[in-house]
Amino acid sequence: MQRIDLPSSSRLLSPDFTFGVATASFQIEGATQADGRLPSIWDQFCARQGHVKNGDTGLPACDHYNRWQKDVEMIRDLGVDAYRLSIAWPRVMTQDGQPNTKGLDFYKQLLDRLQEFDIRSFVTLYHWDLPQHLQDRGGWLNRDTAYRFQDYASLVSRELGDRVDTYATLNEPWVSAILGHEVGIHAPGMTNARLARQAGHHMLLAHGLGMQTLRQEAPEANAGLVLNMGPNTPHSRRYDDRAAALIGEASMNHWFLEPVLEGRYPQLYTRLRPELTPQILPGDMEIISQDVDFIGINYYTRGIVSFDREKWVKDHAAKDAEVTDFGWEVYPQGLTDLLVDLNSQYILPPLMITENGMAGDDHLEQDRVHDEQRCRYLQSHLQAVHEAIEQGVDVRGYFAWSLMDNFEWAEGYSKRFGMVYIDYETQQRTLKDSARLFADFLKQRPASR
Ligand code: IFM
Protein backbone atom coordinates (compact mmCIF):
# COMPACT_ATOMS: atom_id res chain seq x y z
CA MET A 1 0.00 0.00 0.00
CA GLN A 2 1.17 3.52 -0.75
CA ARG A 3 2.21 5.98 1.98
CA ILE A 4 1.15 9.55 2.43
CA ASP A 5 4.08 11.65 1.45
CA LEU A 6 4.57 15.25 2.59
CA PRO A 7 7.77 17.29 2.86
CA SER A 8 9.33 16.69 6.28
CA SER A 9 9.16 20.44 7.00
CA SER A 10 5.39 20.55 6.31
CA ARG A 11 3.23 22.32 8.92
CA LEU A 12 0.86 19.39 8.61
CA LEU A 13 3.45 17.37 10.48
CA SER A 14 3.84 19.86 13.30
CA PRO A 15 2.45 19.00 16.75
CA ASP A 16 -0.17 21.73 16.66
CA PHE A 17 -1.82 20.61 13.41
CA THR A 18 -5.02 18.70 14.17
CA PHE A 19 -6.11 15.62 12.24
CA GLY A 20 -9.51 14.11 12.64
CA VAL A 21 -12.45 12.31 11.14
CA ALA A 22 -15.97 13.71 10.87
CA THR A 23 -19.58 12.52 10.99
CA ALA A 24 -23.05 13.98 11.58
CA SER A 25 -25.90 12.84 13.80
CA PHE A 26 -28.65 12.03 11.29
CA GLN A 27 -26.19 10.36 8.96
CA ILE A 28 -24.86 7.80 11.44
CA GLU A 29 -26.96 7.51 14.59
CA GLY A 30 -30.08 5.60 13.51
CA ALA A 31 -32.39 4.92 16.50
CA THR A 32 -34.60 7.75 15.34
CA GLN A 33 -37.31 6.97 17.87
CA ALA A 34 -35.20 6.01 20.85
CA ASP A 35 -35.31 7.69 24.24
CA GLY A 36 -37.72 10.45 23.37
CA ARG A 37 -36.03 11.73 20.22
CA LEU A 38 -38.50 13.92 18.34
CA PRO A 39 -38.99 13.76 14.57
CA SER A 40 -36.75 16.00 12.48
CA ILE A 41 -37.32 17.53 9.07
CA TRP A 42 -35.19 14.77 7.58
CA ASP A 43 -37.42 12.04 9.02
CA GLN A 44 -40.35 13.79 7.42
CA PHE A 45 -38.53 14.36 4.11
CA CYS A 46 -37.49 10.69 3.89
CA ALA A 47 -41.09 9.63 4.49
CA ARG A 48 -42.27 11.57 1.43
CA GLN A 49 -42.09 9.26 -1.56
CA GLY A 50 -39.47 9.96 -4.20
CA HIS A 51 -37.36 12.36 -2.16
CA VAL A 52 -34.57 10.03 -1.11
CA LYS A 53 -33.06 7.37 -3.35
CA ASN A 54 -34.47 3.87 -2.83
CA GLY A 55 -36.80 5.23 -0.16
CA ASP A 56 -33.92 5.17 2.32
CA THR A 57 -34.45 6.74 5.75
CA GLY A 58 -32.45 7.56 8.87
CA LEU A 59 -32.82 3.89 9.86
CA PRO A 60 -30.66 1.98 10.32
CA ALA A 61 -27.85 4.37 9.36
CA CYS A 62 -24.80 3.04 11.22
CA ASP A 63 -26.79 2.34 14.38
CA HIS A 64 -24.14 4.42 16.07
CA TYR A 65 -26.56 5.32 18.88
CA ASN A 66 -26.24 1.71 20.07
CA ARG A 67 -22.72 0.97 18.87
CA TRP A 68 -20.94 4.16 19.87
CA GLN A 69 -18.54 2.50 22.30
CA LYS A 70 -16.97 0.30 19.62
CA ASP A 71 -17.03 3.21 17.20
CA VAL A 72 -15.09 5.41 19.60
CA GLU A 73 -12.52 2.63 20.02
CA MET A 74 -12.24 2.50 16.25
CA ILE A 75 -11.65 6.26 16.17
CA ARG A 76 -8.98 5.91 18.86
CA ASP A 77 -7.27 3.14 16.91
CA LEU A 78 -7.00 5.38 13.87
CA GLY A 79 -4.76 7.64 15.95
CA VAL A 80 -6.60 10.90 15.23
CA ASP A 81 -6.28 13.97 17.43
CA ALA A 82 -9.93 14.97 17.15
CA TYR A 83 -13.39 13.75 16.26
CA ARG A 84 -15.99 16.01 14.64
CA LEU A 85 -19.58 15.02 15.41
CA SER A 86 -22.91 16.78 15.54
CA ILE A 87 -25.61 16.87 18.18
CA ALA A 88 -29.16 15.98 17.13
CA TRP A 89 -31.30 18.89 18.32
CA PRO A 90 -34.46 16.69 18.38
CA ARG A 91 -32.68 14.22 20.66
CA VAL A 92 -31.66 16.59 23.40
CA MET A 93 -34.49 19.12 23.69
CA THR A 94 -38.17 18.53 24.25
CA GLN A 95 -40.84 20.41 22.33
CA ASP A 96 -41.27 22.83 25.23
CA GLY A 97 -37.55 23.55 25.41
CA GLN A 98 -36.63 21.30 28.34
CA PRO A 99 -33.56 19.05 28.38
CA ASN A 100 -34.14 15.46 27.29
CA THR A 101 -31.90 13.75 29.81
CA LYS A 102 -31.62 10.44 27.99
CA GLY A 103 -30.60 12.05 24.73
CA LEU A 104 -28.11 14.27 26.51
CA ASP A 105 -26.64 11.30 28.38
CA PHE A 106 -25.80 9.67 25.07
CA TYR A 107 -23.61 12.61 24.09
CA LYS A 108 -22.17 13.04 27.60
CA GLN A 109 -20.97 9.45 27.69
CA LEU A 110 -19.59 9.67 24.19
CA LEU A 111 -17.71 12.90 24.93
CA ASP A 112 -16.41 11.51 28.23
CA ARG A 113 -15.02 8.49 26.41
CA LEU A 114 -13.34 10.71 23.84
CA GLN A 115 -11.73 12.67 26.66
CA GLU A 116 -10.53 9.43 28.28
CA PHE A 117 -8.89 8.55 24.98
CA ASP A 118 -7.38 12.02 24.69
CA ILE A 119 -9.35 12.79 21.54
CA ARG A 120 -10.55 16.40 21.23
CA SER A 121 -14.18 16.90 20.31
CA PHE A 122 -15.41 19.25 17.60
CA VAL A 123 -19.14 19.53 18.08
CA THR A 124 -21.45 20.92 15.41
CA LEU A 125 -24.73 22.14 16.85
CA TYR A 126 -26.74 22.10 13.64
CA HIS A 127 -26.05 19.62 10.87
CA TRP A 128 -29.49 19.90 9.24
CA ASP A 129 -31.77 17.92 11.57
CA LEU A 130 -34.20 20.67 12.57
CA PRO A 131 -36.97 19.47 14.90
CA GLN A 132 -40.11 19.01 12.79
CA HIS A 133 -42.24 20.96 15.30
CA LEU A 134 -40.18 24.06 14.45
CA GLN A 135 -40.66 23.41 10.74
CA ASP A 136 -44.40 23.26 11.40
CA ARG A 137 -44.08 26.86 12.57
CA GLY A 138 -42.19 27.97 9.46
CA GLY A 139 -38.74 26.48 10.07
CA TRP A 140 -35.89 28.70 8.95
CA LEU A 141 -38.31 31.07 7.23
CA ASN A 142 -39.54 32.03 10.67
CA ARG A 143 -37.12 34.43 12.35
CA ASP A 144 -38.08 32.92 15.69
CA THR A 145 -36.21 29.71 14.76
CA ALA A 146 -32.94 31.63 15.17
CA TYR A 147 -33.93 32.38 18.78
CA ARG A 148 -34.98 28.79 19.37
CA PHE A 149 -31.52 27.80 18.11
CA GLN A 150 -30.01 30.11 20.70
CA ASP A 151 -32.02 28.34 23.42
CA TYR A 152 -30.78 25.03 22.09
CA ALA A 153 -27.14 26.26 22.02
CA SER A 154 -27.56 27.43 25.58
CA LEU A 155 -28.99 24.12 26.75
CA VAL A 156 -26.25 22.09 25.06
CA SER A 157 -23.35 24.23 26.24
CA ARG A 158 -24.64 24.28 29.83
CA GLU A 159 -25.27 20.54 29.88
CA LEU A 160 -22.09 19.43 28.16
CA GLY A 161 -19.88 21.75 30.21
CA ASP A 162 -16.18 21.43 29.56
CA ARG A 163 -16.47 18.21 27.58
CA VAL A 164 -16.37 20.09 24.27
CA ASP A 165 -13.16 21.50 22.87
CA THR A 166 -14.62 23.35 19.86
CA TYR A 167 -18.14 24.25 18.78
CA ALA A 168 -19.35 24.94 15.26
CA THR A 169 -22.73 26.62 15.29
CA LEU A 170 -23.88 25.48 11.84
CA ASN A 171 -22.67 23.13 9.16
CA GLU A 172 -22.92 24.38 5.57
CA PRO A 173 -25.81 26.86 5.79
CA TRP A 174 -25.59 27.24 1.97
CA VAL A 175 -26.68 23.61 1.62
CA SER A 176 -29.53 23.77 4.11
CA ALA A 177 -30.74 27.13 2.79
CA ILE A 178 -30.32 26.65 -0.95
CA LEU A 179 -30.70 22.90 -1.49
CA GLY A 180 -33.49 22.85 1.09
CA HIS A 181 -35.46 25.96 0.05
CA GLU A 182 -34.52 26.78 -3.56
CA VAL A 183 -33.47 23.56 -5.29
CA GLY A 184 -35.75 21.43 -3.15
CA ILE A 185 -33.63 18.28 -3.06
CA HIS A 186 -32.99 18.54 0.69
CA ALA A 187 -35.41 18.93 3.59
CA PRO A 188 -37.76 20.73 3.82
CA GLY A 189 -37.99 20.49 0.01
CA MET A 190 -39.03 24.03 -0.94
CA THR A 191 -38.33 25.72 -4.27
CA ASN A 192 -38.24 29.48 -3.89
CA ALA A 193 -34.97 31.37 -4.45
CA ARG A 194 -35.99 34.47 -2.50
CA LEU A 195 -37.21 32.55 0.50
CA ALA A 196 -34.06 30.43 0.38
CA ARG A 197 -31.95 33.55 1.00
CA GLN A 198 -34.30 34.59 3.80
CA ALA A 199 -33.80 31.15 5.37
CA GLY A 200 -30.04 31.66 4.91
CA HIS A 201 -30.21 35.02 6.68
CA HIS A 202 -32.06 33.49 9.62
CA MET A 203 -29.43 30.74 9.79
CA LEU A 204 -26.69 33.36 9.93
CA LEU A 205 -28.64 35.17 12.63
CA ALA A 206 -28.87 31.87 14.50
CA HIS A 207 -25.12 31.52 14.14
CA GLY A 208 -24.57 34.99 15.66
CA LEU A 209 -27.01 34.42 18.50
CA GLY A 210 -25.47 31.01 19.12
CA MET A 211 -22.01 32.57 19.27
CA GLN A 212 -23.19 35.05 21.92
CA THR A 213 -24.47 32.18 24.02
CA LEU A 214 -21.42 29.99 23.55
CA ARG A 215 -19.15 32.84 24.65
CA GLN A 216 -21.16 33.09 27.87
CA GLU A 217 -21.84 29.45 28.62
CA ALA A 218 -18.65 27.87 27.28
CA PRO A 219 -15.98 30.59 27.48
CA GLU A 220 -13.16 28.06 27.37
CA ALA A 221 -14.32 26.42 24.15
CA ASN A 222 -13.41 27.60 20.68
CA ALA A 223 -16.36 28.53 18.53
CA GLY A 224 -16.94 29.20 14.86
CA LEU A 225 -18.87 28.28 11.75
CA VAL A 226 -18.46 25.64 9.03
CA LEU A 227 -19.03 26.58 5.37
CA ASN A 228 -18.90 24.55 2.18
CA MET A 229 -16.94 26.25 -0.55
CA GLY A 230 -15.31 25.66 -3.90
CA PRO A 231 -13.75 27.85 -6.54
CA ASN A 232 -15.60 28.47 -9.81
CA THR A 233 -13.74 28.15 -13.09
CA PRO A 234 -15.25 29.89 -16.13
CA HIS A 235 -16.28 27.45 -18.84
CA SER A 236 -14.64 29.65 -21.48
CA ARG A 237 -12.59 32.82 -21.61
CA ARG A 238 -15.70 34.76 -22.68
CA TYR A 239 -16.45 37.81 -20.56
CA ASP A 240 -19.89 36.57 -19.50
CA ASP A 241 -18.56 33.18 -18.40
CA ARG A 242 -15.90 34.88 -16.32
CA ALA A 243 -18.62 37.05 -14.81
CA ALA A 244 -20.66 33.88 -14.08
CA ALA A 245 -17.71 32.47 -12.12
CA LEU A 246 -17.62 35.59 -9.95
CA ILE A 247 -21.38 35.48 -9.44
CA GLY A 248 -21.22 31.78 -8.58
CA GLU A 249 -18.57 32.40 -5.94
CA ALA A 250 -20.47 35.38 -4.53
CA SER A 251 -23.62 33.29 -4.32
CA MET A 252 -22.06 30.33 -2.53
CA ASN A 253 -18.73 31.21 -0.95
CA HIS A 254 -18.99 34.87 -0.06
CA TRP A 255 -22.72 35.12 0.71
CA PHE A 256 -22.22 33.17 3.93
CA LEU A 257 -18.68 34.27 4.77
CA GLU A 258 -18.76 38.02 4.22
CA PRO A 259 -21.60 38.70 6.69
CA VAL A 260 -19.63 36.87 9.39
CA LEU A 261 -16.28 38.50 8.69
CA GLU A 262 -17.36 41.92 7.47
CA GLY A 263 -20.99 42.37 8.52
CA ARG A 264 -22.51 42.69 5.02
CA TYR A 265 -23.70 40.58 2.12
CA PRO A 266 -21.46 40.65 -0.98
CA GLN A 267 -22.20 43.78 -2.99
CA LEU A 268 -21.76 42.01 -6.29
CA TYR A 269 -24.67 39.78 -5.39
CA THR A 270 -26.96 42.36 -3.80
CA ARG A 271 -26.49 44.66 -6.81
CA LEU A 272 -27.04 42.00 -9.44
CA ARG A 273 -29.84 40.16 -7.67
CA PRO A 274 -31.52 42.74 -5.42
CA GLU A 275 -34.74 40.71 -5.54
CA LEU A 276 -32.96 38.01 -3.49
CA THR A 277 -31.74 40.28 -0.72
CA PRO A 278 -33.34 39.08 2.52
CA GLN A 279 -35.15 41.20 5.02
CA ILE A 280 -32.53 42.33 7.52
CA LEU A 281 -33.59 43.94 10.79
CA PRO A 282 -31.52 46.65 12.49
CA GLY A 283 -28.76 45.03 14.54
CA ASP A 284 -28.77 41.72 12.65
CA MET A 285 -25.46 42.24 10.91
CA GLU A 286 -23.74 43.17 14.19
CA ILE A 287 -25.00 39.97 15.76
CA ILE A 288 -23.87 37.94 12.76
CA SER A 289 -20.41 39.47 12.53
CA GLN A 290 -19.03 38.67 15.96
CA ASP A 291 -15.48 37.37 16.19
CA VAL A 292 -15.13 33.68 15.54
CA ASP A 293 -12.17 31.54 16.59
CA PHE A 294 -12.09 29.68 13.31
CA ILE A 295 -13.87 29.14 10.04
CA GLY A 296 -14.30 25.54 8.98
CA ILE A 297 -14.12 24.86 5.26
CA ASN A 298 -15.66 21.81 3.66
CA TYR A 299 -14.11 21.20 0.26
CA TYR A 300 -15.01 18.49 -2.23
CA THR A 301 -14.64 19.87 -5.78
CA ARG A 302 -14.78 22.99 -7.94
CA GLY A 303 -17.53 24.30 -10.21
CA ILE A 304 -17.11 24.90 -13.93
CA VAL A 305 -19.65 27.52 -14.90
CA SER A 306 -21.02 29.56 -17.76
CA PHE A 307 -23.45 32.44 -17.90
CA ASP A 308 -27.12 31.56 -18.37
CA ARG A 309 -29.85 34.11 -19.00
CA GLU A 310 -32.36 32.39 -16.77
CA LYS A 311 -30.28 30.77 -14.06
CA TRP A 312 -27.38 33.26 -14.24
CA VAL A 313 -24.89 30.52 -13.46
CA LYS A 314 -24.96 27.15 -15.19
CA ASP A 315 -22.81 24.18 -14.13
CA HIS A 316 -20.81 22.05 -16.54
CA ALA A 317 -19.19 18.67 -16.13
CA ALA A 318 -15.41 18.73 -16.37
CA LYS A 319 -14.20 17.22 -19.64
CA ASP A 320 -11.85 14.22 -19.49
CA ALA A 321 -11.42 14.66 -15.75
CA GLU A 322 -11.23 12.02 -13.05
CA VAL A 323 -14.53 11.96 -11.16
CA THR A 324 -15.81 10.27 -8.00
CA ASP A 325 -18.80 7.95 -7.68
CA PHE A 326 -20.92 11.10 -7.23
CA GLY A 327 -19.64 12.45 -10.57
CA TRP A 328 -17.72 15.19 -8.76
CA GLU A 329 -14.42 16.13 -10.36
CA VAL A 330 -11.30 15.27 -8.37
CA TYR A 331 -9.59 18.65 -8.29
CA PRO A 332 -7.13 19.14 -5.42
CA GLN A 333 -5.72 22.31 -6.97
CA GLY A 334 -9.12 23.87 -6.27
CA LEU A 335 -8.51 23.53 -2.54
CA THR A 336 -5.22 25.41 -2.72
CA ASP A 337 -6.74 28.04 -5.00
CA LEU A 338 -9.76 28.51 -2.75
CA LEU A 339 -7.70 28.94 0.41
CA VAL A 340 -5.17 31.28 -1.18
CA ASP A 341 -7.95 33.35 -2.73
CA LEU A 342 -9.89 33.69 0.52
CA ASN A 343 -6.70 34.69 2.26
CA SER A 344 -6.10 37.46 -0.25
CA GLN A 345 -9.68 38.75 0.01
CA TYR A 346 -10.36 38.70 3.75
CA ILE A 347 -8.68 39.07 7.09
CA LEU A 348 -9.30 35.51 8.11
CA PRO A 349 -9.36 33.79 11.47
CA PRO A 350 -7.54 30.44 11.53
CA LEU A 351 -9.04 27.95 9.10
CA MET A 352 -9.79 24.29 9.60
CA ILE A 353 -10.59 21.91 6.77
CA THR A 354 -13.62 20.43 8.51
CA GLU A 355 -14.59 18.07 5.68
CA ASN A 356 -12.83 16.63 2.67
CA GLY A 357 -13.37 13.28 1.03
CA MET A 358 -15.06 11.41 -1.79
CA ALA A 359 -17.78 8.91 -2.60
CA GLY A 360 -16.37 5.66 -3.97
CA ASP A 361 -17.83 2.59 -5.60
CA ASP A 362 -16.46 0.53 -2.73
CA HIS A 363 -16.84 -3.24 -2.36
CA LEU A 364 -16.04 -5.58 0.43
CA GLU A 365 -13.92 -8.48 -0.84
CA GLN A 366 -12.42 -11.00 1.54
CA ASP A 367 -12.58 -8.61 4.46
CA ARG A 368 -10.80 -5.84 2.57
CA VAL A 369 -11.94 -2.74 0.70
CA HIS A 370 -9.40 -1.51 -1.82
CA ASP A 371 -10.45 2.11 -2.18
CA GLU A 372 -7.41 3.10 -4.15
CA GLN A 373 -9.03 6.27 -5.52
CA ARG A 374 -9.76 7.54 -1.99
CA CYS A 375 -6.12 6.88 -1.00
CA ARG A 376 -4.95 9.04 -3.90
CA TYR A 377 -7.61 11.66 -3.10
CA LEU A 378 -6.38 11.87 0.47
CA GLN A 379 -2.75 12.24 -0.55
CA SER A 380 -3.45 14.91 -3.19
CA HIS A 381 -5.71 16.97 -0.95
CA LEU A 382 -3.31 16.91 1.99
CA GLN A 383 -0.65 18.09 -0.45
CA ALA A 384 -3.06 20.86 -1.54
CA VAL A 385 -3.48 22.00 2.07
CA HIS A 386 0.29 21.91 2.50
CA GLU A 387 0.71 24.14 -0.57
CA ALA A 388 -1.84 26.66 0.69
CA ILE A 389 0.00 26.86 4.01
CA GLU A 390 3.26 27.40 2.14
CA GLN A 391 1.54 30.33 0.42
CA GLY A 392 0.72 31.93 3.74
CA VAL A 393 -2.74 30.57 4.65
CA ASP A 394 -3.24 29.77 8.34
CA VAL A 395 -4.78 26.28 8.23
CA ARG A 396 -4.77 24.50 11.58
CA GLY A 397 -6.45 21.18 10.92
CA TYR A 398 -7.91 18.61 8.55
CA PHE A 399 -10.90 16.31 9.06
CA ALA A 400 -11.59 13.49 6.64
CA TRP A 401 -15.22 13.08 5.61
CA SER A 402 -16.18 10.61 6.69
CA LEU A 403 -15.23 8.22 9.45
CA MET A 404 -17.63 5.66 8.02
CA ASP A 405 -20.12 5.14 5.19
CA ASN A 406 -23.43 6.72 6.12
CA PHE A 407 -26.76 8.18 5.04
CA GLU A 408 -25.84 10.54 2.21
CA TRP A 409 -29.00 12.72 2.28
CA ALA A 410 -30.96 12.61 -1.02
CA GLU A 411 -28.68 9.79 -2.19
CA GLY A 412 -29.57 7.59 0.79
CA TYR A 413 -27.09 4.78 1.38
CA SER A 414 -26.09 4.57 -2.28
CA LYS A 415 -23.02 6.77 -1.89
CA ARG A 416 -20.14 5.66 0.29
CA PHE A 417 -17.93 8.42 1.70
CA GLY A 418 -16.43 6.47 4.61
CA MET A 419 -12.91 5.37 5.41
CA VAL A 420 -14.66 2.53 7.17
CA TYR A 421 -17.02 0.30 5.20
CA ILE A 422 -20.46 -0.33 6.68
CA ASP A 423 -22.41 -3.47 5.88
CA TYR A 424 -25.87 -2.05 6.60
CA GLU A 425 -27.41 -5.51 7.09
CA THR A 426 -24.97 -6.81 9.67
CA GLN A 427 -23.64 -3.42 10.82
CA GLN A 428 -20.16 -4.84 10.53
CA ARG A 429 -17.41 -2.22 10.26
CA THR A 430 -14.38 -2.88 8.02
CA LEU A 431 -11.42 -0.55 7.68
CA LYS A 432 -10.91 0.40 4.04
CA ASP A 433 -7.37 0.78 2.68
CA SER A 434 -7.76 4.56 3.07
CA ALA A 435 -8.35 4.18 6.82
CA ARG A 436 -5.21 2.06 7.09
CA LEU A 437 -3.25 4.59 5.06
CA PHE A 438 -4.53 7.48 7.20
CA ALA A 439 -3.77 5.59 10.43
CA ASP A 440 -0.23 4.74 9.25
CA PHE A 441 0.35 8.37 8.37
CA LEU A 442 -0.93 9.58 11.74
CA LYS A 443 1.28 7.12 13.59
CA GLN A 444 4.38 8.16 11.65
CA ARG A 445 4.14 11.76 12.71
CA PRO A 446 7.00 13.05 14.90
CA ALA A 447 6.83 11.69 18.42
CA SER A 448 7.03 15.13 20.06
CA ARG A 449 3.32 15.53 19.57
O1 IFM B 1 -22.38 14.04 3.64
C1 IFM B 1 -22.23 15.40 3.44
C2 IFM B 1 -22.13 16.13 4.76
O2 IFM B 1 -23.26 15.92 5.54
C3 IFM B 1 -22.00 17.62 4.54
N1 IFM B 1 -20.94 17.92 3.62
C4 IFM B 1 -20.90 17.19 2.38
C5 IFM B 1 -20.96 15.70 2.65
C6 IFM B 1 -20.91 14.92 1.32
O3 IFM B 1 -21.95 15.28 0.48
Side-chain angles (χ1 to χ4, degrees), residues 23-24 27 84 127-128 171-172 175 186 228 298 300 326 328 355 357 401-402 406-409 417:
T23 62
Q27 293 182 272
R84 176 171 177 244
H127 199 124
W128 312 347
N171 180 69
E172 301 184 358
V175 173
H186 275 203
N228 58 303
N298 295 352
Y300 289 88
F326 223 132
W328 297 351
E355 286 182 25
W401 183 270
S402 178
N406 56 51
F407 175 82
E408 178 52 29
W409 308 111
F417 273 90

Side-chain angles (χ1 to χ4, degrees), residues 9-24:
S9 60
S10 177
R11 267 259 300 280
L12 274 75
L13 300 173
S14 77
D16 52 2
F17 194 90
T18 299
F19 278 99
V21 282
T23 62

Side-chain angles (χ1 to χ4, degrees), residues 139-431:
W140 288 109
L141 297 179
N142 182 350
R143 189 179 165 86
D144 184 58
T145 297
Y147 293 89
R148 299 291 70 78
F149 175 83
Q150 186 174 32
D151 294 342
Y152 158 63
S154 166
L155 180 148
V156 170
S157 47
R158 268 184 286 119
E159 289 280 344
L160 299 186
D162 62 4
R163 293 174 173 92
V164 177
D165 188 81
T166 300
Y167 280 104
T169 51
L170 311 176
N171 180 69
E172 301 184 358
W174 180 88
V175 173
S176 32
I178 306 301
L179 296 191
H181 299 78
E182 176 178 341
V183 187
I185 57 169
H186 275 203
M190 293 174 58
T191 51
N192 181 312
R194 190 181 60 77
L195 295 182
R197 295 287 160 175
Q198 190 64 55
H201 178 69
H202 290 153
M203 288 175 196
L204 285 172
L205 181 63
H207 157 75
L209 294 167
M211 285 296 300
Q212 288 180 340
T213 294
L214 292 172
R215 295 302 190 205
Q216 269 176 9
E217 308 281 1
E220 304 298 322
N222 293 314
L225 171 70
V226 171
L227 301 174
N228 58 303
M229 293 197 190
N232 277 196
T233 307
H235 187 236
S236 77
R237 294 302 302 155
R238 287 168 50 120
Y239 173 80
D240 53 0
D241 288 352
R242 281 185 282 145
L246 293 178
I247 301 168
E249 288 189 358
S251 161
M252 179 162 137
N253 301 346
H254 304 296
W255 205 88
F256 289 89
L257 182 63
E258 205 162 308
V260 174
L261 297 183
E262 296 184 353
R264 57 159 188 255
Y265 285 103
Q267 276 187 3
L268 173 70
Y269 209 71
T270 44
R271 282 201 191 135
L272 281 176
R273 315 249 9 220
E275 75 284 6
L276 298 185
T277 303
Q279 191 192 26
I280 303 166
L281 296 194
D284 282 4
M285 300 316 279
E286 287 71 31
I287 295 174
I288 291 170
S289 60
Q290 289 164 72
D291 283 353
V292 286
D293 298 319
F294 75 99
I295 291 285
I297 302 225
N298 295 352
Y299 175 80
Y300 289 88
T301 189
R302 67 166 164 177
I304 299 177
V305 298
S306 65
F307 182 71
D308 180 88
R309 268 178 197 286
E310 255 175 51
K311 292 168 53 186
W312 291 75
V313 179
K314 183 171 156 193
D315 284 308
H316 293 262
K319 261 206 193 125
D320 304 325
E322 181 184 357
V323 295
T324 70
D325 196 38
F326 223 132
W328 297 351
E329 181 188 7
V330 177
Y331 192 66
Q333 182 63 41
L335 180 51
T336 311
D337 294 347
L338 170 74
L339 296 171
V340 170
D341 255 29
L342 291 174
N343 200 36
S344 69
Q345 293 177 47
Y346 295 100
I347 298 174
L348 293 170
L351 301 180
M352 306 285 295
I353 306 303
T354 32
E355 286 182 25
N356 177 238
M358 52 154 283
D361 181 20
D362 302 328
H363 298 279
L364 183 63
E365 290 159 47
Q366 292 165 350
D367 296 333
R368 293 298 291 263
V369 180
H370 300 301
D371 56 341
E372 188 266 337
Q373 191 186 20
R374 187 173 290 102
C375 293
R376 282 189 288 111
Y377 187 101
L378 182 62
Q379 161 73 50
S380 60
H381 286 76
L382 289 178
Q383 180 70 29
V385 177
H386 164 74
E387 278 159 22
I389 294 175
E390 290 287 291
Q391 291 179 53
V393 190
D394 184 7
V395 186
R396 305 271 177 98
Y398 175 96
F399 288 80
W401 183 270
S402 178
L403 166 67
M404 52 192 165
D405 296 334
N406 56 51
F407 175 82
E408 178 52 29
W409 308 111
E411 298 296 320
Y413 298 101
S414 70
K415 296 284 176 270
R416 293 182 176 271
F417 273 90
M419 284 185 161
V420 173
Y421 184 91
I422 300 288
D423 178 329
Y424 291 106
E425 303 229 317
T426 61
Q427 286 296 337
Q428 188 174 326
R429 278 90 166 118
T430 305
L431 297 195

Side-chain angles (χ1 to χ4, degrees), residues 26 32 42-61 407-415:
F26 192 78
T32 51
W42 269 94
D43 297 288
Q44 180 94 345
F45 193 68
C46 292
R48 277 156 60 186
Q49 234 197 350
H51 280 72
V52 175
K53 206 176 216 161
N54 304 320
D56 289 343
T57 70
L59 288 172
F407 175 82
E408 178 52 29
W409 308 111
E411 298 296 320
Y413 298 101
S414 70
K415 296 284 176 270

